[in-house]
C-alpha cells in the first residue's frame, strides 16, 4: 500500500477502503498470466529495448547465420527457397514513355545497361544476378548496402549510362565513428537532427578480406545517403537495421543438425557387427586370428567351452517423425511451407494449393516491399537521373516517364483451371489484361509487340471454299435430265 492510500485511509476510512478495493479489482481485471513472474515463465526474457538496440549481437547473429548457411543443409535450403521464389529468373524492368510514345529505343538502352554486366561495378553480373545476391544477403545478414558508383562515359566508352552499382555487405560499416559534426553516427550510419539518415561511413575493403589489405589500417569514407540503397526487412516502428531471417529458428536449426549428425553416427555404429568370445572352462581365451577372417557363410570352429556372443547395436527409432516436426518448425518460422524443403509425402492437390496460397502471399510481400520497393525502384531512380543528365550530350533516346518492374511468374499448380479463371476475371471486368499479365510475370508491352510481329509474319489465310449447299454452290444436275448417251457412258442400258 502506497503512502497516499494510507493517508486517505486514515483521514477518510470509507473513501480509502473504496479506493483500495477499486485498485484490487483493477489489478485482477488487468492481470495477464504471461506477464506474471513464476515457475511457468521462468527464463522468459522481455527487455524493454528499442528496435535497433541489438548492437554487438547483430554482428554475432550475422556471422552465425552465414556459418549455418555454409555448413547446415536446412539453413541453405531456406535461403535457396526464399531467394528462388522472390527473385527467380529476375525482376525485369520495362519503360513507360510520355504520351505512350514508342519505347523500343529506350528499352534497348535499358537492356544494354541493366541487363548486362555493365551495371555491376565488378563487371560480373547483370541485374538479375545482382538481385539474387541482394536477396541472399538480406536473408543471411538481415540487410545489405548497394552503392552507386559514378562513371565518366568519356573514360568508360563501353557504358551507355554513367553509373554502376556495388553490392556491399553490412560489414563495410565503420562502427568506430560516433559523430560527424552535430550529427550522431550509430554503427556507421549518420543521422540528422530529425532522425533521417544523411550518410553512411563505409570501408572500401571488407574488414574480413585480410589478404587484400595493402595498408596497416582501414580508412572509411563518408558516402551521402542518396548514393546508398539500404535494403532490409523492418518489422518494428523506427527500426533502421535488419536482423538475419534465421534468428527466430537458429537454435532449432543448430540443434536439429546436431541431432541429425548424432543419428548418422548412431547408424554407423549400428552397422558394425562385432563378436565377443568367452573364455573356455580351462580359462583359455580366443586369440582372434581366425575370427578376423570371418566372411559371409563361413563356419568358424571354436574350442570346447568357448561361446560367441554377437554385439547388440543401438536401434534408431523415431528419427523420421522427429526430423519432420523439426523441419516443419523451421519452415513455419521462415514463412515457408514444409513441402518447400523437399518432402512431398502425403501431399495432394488441395493441401499443396492451400500451402502455396499462404506462402505466395509472403513471397509477394517480400517482392513488393523489399526487392521492388527498395532495390529496383532505387535503381530506377538512379537510371532515370543518369539518363537525363547525359541524354543531350550523348544523343540518347527520350527519357521514359517511369520504369515498371515485373516479378517472375509463379509456377501454376493447375494451368488449365488457373488460366480459365484469369480469362473469366478479365472478361467480368474484375481485372485488366495488363495487370493480369504482370501478375503472371509477363511484360504487356513485350506481349503486344510480339503478337503484332506474329500477325505480320504469318501469311494471310486463304479464303475458305463455299459450302456445298450454299447459295453459290454449283448446280447438281437432276438424273431425269441426263441423255441416253450419258446413261450409256455411266453403264446404263
Amino acid at each position: 500500500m502506497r503512502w497516499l492510500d494510507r493517508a486517505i485511509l486514515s483521514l477518510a476510512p470509507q473513501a480509502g477502503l473504496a479506493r483500495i478495493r477499486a485498485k484490487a479489482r483493477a489489478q485482477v481485471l488487468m492481470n495477464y498470466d504471461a506477464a506474471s513472474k513464476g515457475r511457468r515463465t521462468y527464463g522468459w526474457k522481455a527487455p524493454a529495448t528499442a528496435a535497433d538496440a541489438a548492437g554487438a549481437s547483430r554482428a554475432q547473429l550475422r556471422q552465425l547465420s552465414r556459418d549455418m548457411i555454409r555448413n547446415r543443409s536446412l539453413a541453405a535450403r531456406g535461403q535457396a527457397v526464399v531467394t528462388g521464389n522472390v527473385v527467380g529468373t529476375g525482376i525485369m524492368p520495362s519503360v513507360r514513355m510520355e504520351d505512350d510514345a514508342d519505347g523500343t529505343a529506350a528499352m534497348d538502352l535499358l537492356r544494354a545497361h541493366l541487363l548486362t554486366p555493365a551495371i555491376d561495378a565488378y563487371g560480373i553480373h547483370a541485374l538479375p544476378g545482382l538481385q539474387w545476391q541482394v536477396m541472399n544477403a538480406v536473408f543471411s545478414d538481415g540487410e545489405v548496402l548497394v552503392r552507386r558508383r559514378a562513371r565518366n562515359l568519356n573514360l568508360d566508352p563501353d557504358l551507355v549510362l554513367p553509373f554502376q552499382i556495388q553490392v556491399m555487405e553490412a560489414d563495410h560499416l565503420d562502427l568506430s565513428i560516433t559523430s560527424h559534426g552535430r550529427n550522431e553516427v550509430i554503427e556507421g550510419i549518420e543521422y540528422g537532427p530529425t532522425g533521417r539518415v544523411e550518410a553512411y561511413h563505409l570501408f572500401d575493403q571488407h574488414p574480413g578480406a585480410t589478404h587484400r589489405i595493402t595498408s596497416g589500417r582501414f580508412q572509411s569514407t563518408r558516402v551521402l545517403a542518396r548514393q546508398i540503397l539500404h535494403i532490409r526487412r523492418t518489422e518494428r516502428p523506427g527500426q533502421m537495421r535488419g536482423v538475419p531471417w534465421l534468428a527466430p529458428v537458429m537454435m532449432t536449426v543448430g540443434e536439429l543438425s546436431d541431432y541429425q549428425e548424432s543419428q548418422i553416427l548412431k547408424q554407423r555404429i549400428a552397422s558394425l557387427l562385432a563378436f565377443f568370445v568367452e573364455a573356455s572352462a580351462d580359462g583359455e581365451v580366443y586369440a582372434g586370428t581366425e575370427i578376423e577372417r570371418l566372411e559371409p557363410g563361413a563356419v568358424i570352429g571354436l574350442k570346447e567351452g568357448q561361446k560367441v556372443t554377437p554385439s547388440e547395436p543401438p536401434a534408431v527409432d523415431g528419427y523420421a517423425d522427429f526430423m519432420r516436426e523439426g523441419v516443419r518448425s523451421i519452415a513455419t518460422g521462415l514463412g515457408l511451407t514444409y513441402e518447400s524443403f523437399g518432402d512431398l509425402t502425403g501431399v495432394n492437390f488441395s493441401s499443396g494449393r492451400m500451402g502455396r496460397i499462404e506462402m505466395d502471399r509472403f513471397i509477394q510481400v517480400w517482392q513488393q516491399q523489399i526487392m521492388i520497393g527498395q532495390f529496383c525502384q532505387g535503381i530506377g531512380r538512379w537510371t532515370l537521373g543518369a539518363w537525363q543528365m547525359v541524354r543531350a550530350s550523348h544523343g540518347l533516346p527520350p527519357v521514359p516517364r517511369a520504369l515498371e518492374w515485373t516479378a517472375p511468374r509463379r509456377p501454376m499448380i493447375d494451368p488449365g483451371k488457373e488460366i480459365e479463371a484469369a480469362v473469366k476475371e478479365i472478361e467480368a471486368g474484375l481485372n485488366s489484361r495488363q495487370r493480369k499479365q504482370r501478375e503472371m510475370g509477363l511484360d504487356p508491352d513485350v506481349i503486344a509487340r510480339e503478337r503484332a510481329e506474329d500477325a505480320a509474319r504469318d501469311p494471310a489465310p486463304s479464303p475458305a471454299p463455299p459450302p456445298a449447299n450454299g447459295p453459290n454452290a454449283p448446280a447438281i444436275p437432276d438424273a431425269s435430265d441426263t441423255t441416253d448417251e450419258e446413261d450409256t457412258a455411266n453403264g446404263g442400258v
Side-chain angles (χ1 to χ4, degrees):
M1 185 185 301
R2 297 183 179 181
W3 66 269
L4 180 60
D5 295 329
R6 291 194 298 268
I8 296 176
L9 187 62
S10 61
L11 297 176
Q14 292 183 352
L17 184 59
R19 175 184 173 88
I20 293 173
R21 287 175 178 173
K23 291 180 65 176
R25 291 193 185 100
Q27 185 175 5
V28 172
L29 291 174
M30 297 301 294
N31 182 48
Y32 290 94
D33 291 339
S36 62
K37 294 181 185 267
R39 176 182 58 82
R40 296 178 63 189
T41 60
Y42 178 77
W44 291 11
K45 300 178 182 179
T49 54
D52 290 323
S57 62
R58 180 181 292 107
Q60 177 70 7
L61 283 175
R62 187 166 60 237
Q63 295 163 10
L64 286 173
S65 176
R66 293 172 183 170
D67 183 73
M68 285 189 170
I69 293 173
R70 285 193 298 264
N71 297 302
R72 302 183 187 263
S73 60
L74 293 175
R77 176 66 178 183
Q79 183 190 53
V81 171
V82 170
T83 303
N85 282 271
V86 173
V87 176
T89 56
I91 302 175
M92 294 300 178
S94 60
V95 298
R96 182 171 292 276
M97 306 299 295
E98 294 288 348
D99 300 327
D100 295 330
D102 184 18
T104 303
M107 195 62 206
D108 291 341
L109 185 145
L110 206 63
R111 292 193 188 95
H113 189 69
L114 296 184
L115 301 184
T116 65
I119 186 62
D120 187 5
Y122 299 111
I124 300 175
H125 295 288
L127 188 62
L130 296 177
Q131 292 172 351
W132 193 276
Q133 282 189 351
V134 167
M135 196 63 221
N136 271 345
V138 171
F139 181 92
S140 64
D141 302 351
E143 57 189 344
V144 67
L145 303 173
V146 180
R147 182 176 180 181
R148 179 181 64 181
R149 293 287 192 172
R151 299 291 185 254
N152 189 334
L153 295 183
N154 295 325
L155 301 178
D156 293 304
D158 295 334
L159 297 179
V160 293
L161 293 178
F163 81 98
Q164 293 178 316
I165 62 174
Q166 179 185 6
V167 180
M168 310 174 71
E169 292 181 325
D171 305 67
H172 285 263
L173 290 168
D174 188 352
L175 307 182
S176 63
I177 299 178
T178 59
S179 63
H180 182 81
R182 296 184 177 181
N183 292 342
E184 185 179 17
V185 181
I186 302 176
E187 294 182 334
I189 303 178
E190 180 181 328
Y191 300 91
T194 63
R196 184 182 181 89
V197 178
E198 293 192 359
Y200 291 82
H201 295 261
L202 303 174
F203 294 119
D204 288 336
Q205 293 180 334
H206 194 288
T210 55
H211 62 285
R212 297 181 57 189
I213 297 177
T214 56
S215 59
R217 58 192 178 95
F218 282 103
Q219 291 290 339
S220 61
T221 304
R222 182 176 183 267
V223 183
L224 295 179
R226 63 173 179 269
Q227 300 178 11
I228 296 292
L229 300 178
H230 189 180
I231 318 299
R232 72 279 192 196
R233 183 176 70 176
T234 57
E235 299 172 342
R236 293 179 57 184
Q239 182 178 350
M240 301 300 295
R241 302 293 302 275
V243 294
W245 289 22
L246 288 174
V249 298
M250 197 170 287
M251 294 290 291
T252 306
V253 171
E255 292 173 349
L256 198 64
S257 298
D258 293 341
Y259 168 78
Q260 189 177 27
E261 290 295 328
S262 65
Q263 290 289 10
I264 293 175
L265 179 60
K266 196 174 181 181
Q267 288 281 31
R268 292 180 61 185
I269 295 175
S271 65
L272 301 177
L273 181 61
F275 293 88
F276 304 95
V277 181
E278 299 180 6
S280 60
D282 57 359
E284 185 177 357
V285 297
Y286 182 70
T289 55
E290 295 182 2
I291 202 168
E292 286 183 353
R293 297 194 297 270
L294 182 64
E295 297 178 356
V299 178
I300 304 299
L302 299 176
K303 294 183 178 181
E304 181 179 359
Q306 291 182 338
K307 182 176 66 174
V308 176
T309 303
S311 63
E312 297 181 359
V316 179
D317 299 326
Y319 173 76
D321 294 337
F322 187 85
M323 287 295 298
R324 187 181 300 110
E325 294 304 318
V327 174
R328 183 173 284 110
S329 176
I330 295 172
T332 302
L334 295 176
L336 305 174
T337 61
Y338 168 75
E339 292 76 20
S340 65
F341 278 76
D343 186 5
L344 300 177
T345 304
V347 177
N348 54 33
F349 176 80
S350 299
S351 61
R353 181 175 177 81
M354 291 299 296
R356 274 285 306 275
I357 290 175
E358 187 69 18
M359 176 177 162
D360 285 351
R361 181 63 61 189
F362 289 127
I363 296 299
Q364 291 175 357
V365 170
W366 299 334
Q367 286 175 341
Q368 295 298 325
Q369 295 185 4
I370 298 178
M371 288 306 301
I372 295 179
Q374 298 182 43
F375 178 70
C376 294
Q377 290 185 0
I379 299 298
R381 290 194 303 270
W382 290 348
T383 299
L384 297 181
W387 198 331
Q388 185 67 41
M389 182 176 62
V390 299
R391 178 200 170 191
S393 59
H394 288 76
L396 301 182
V399 181
R401 182 176 62 186
L403 297 185
E404 296 180 344
W405 301 89
T406 303
R409 174 181 177 178
R410 304 290 299 142
M412 294 183 180
I413 299 179
D414 191 343
K417 295 181 179 179
E418 295 182 33
I419 293 177
E420 182 181 357
V423 172
K424 291 181 178 180
E425 187 176 345
I426 296 172
E427 292 177 349
L430 301 177
N431 205 342
S432 66
R433 185 172 59 185
Q434 294 186 25
R435 179 177 297 182
K436 203 63 184 179
Q437 289 170 345
R438 292 190 184 279
E439 291 178 0
M440 299 176 67
L442 305 172
D443 189 342
D445 296 333
V446 173
I447 293 178
R449 185 184 72 248
E450 292 179 351
R451 285 175 62 89
E453 294 174 354
D454 291 341
R457 185 182 297 113
D458 294 339
S462 57
N469 55 354
N472 297 325
I476 300 177
D478 195 335
S480 59
D481 296 336
T482 57
T483 60
D484 295 339
E485 290 78 7
E486 291 174 338
D487 290 337
T488 303
N490 292 329
V493 291

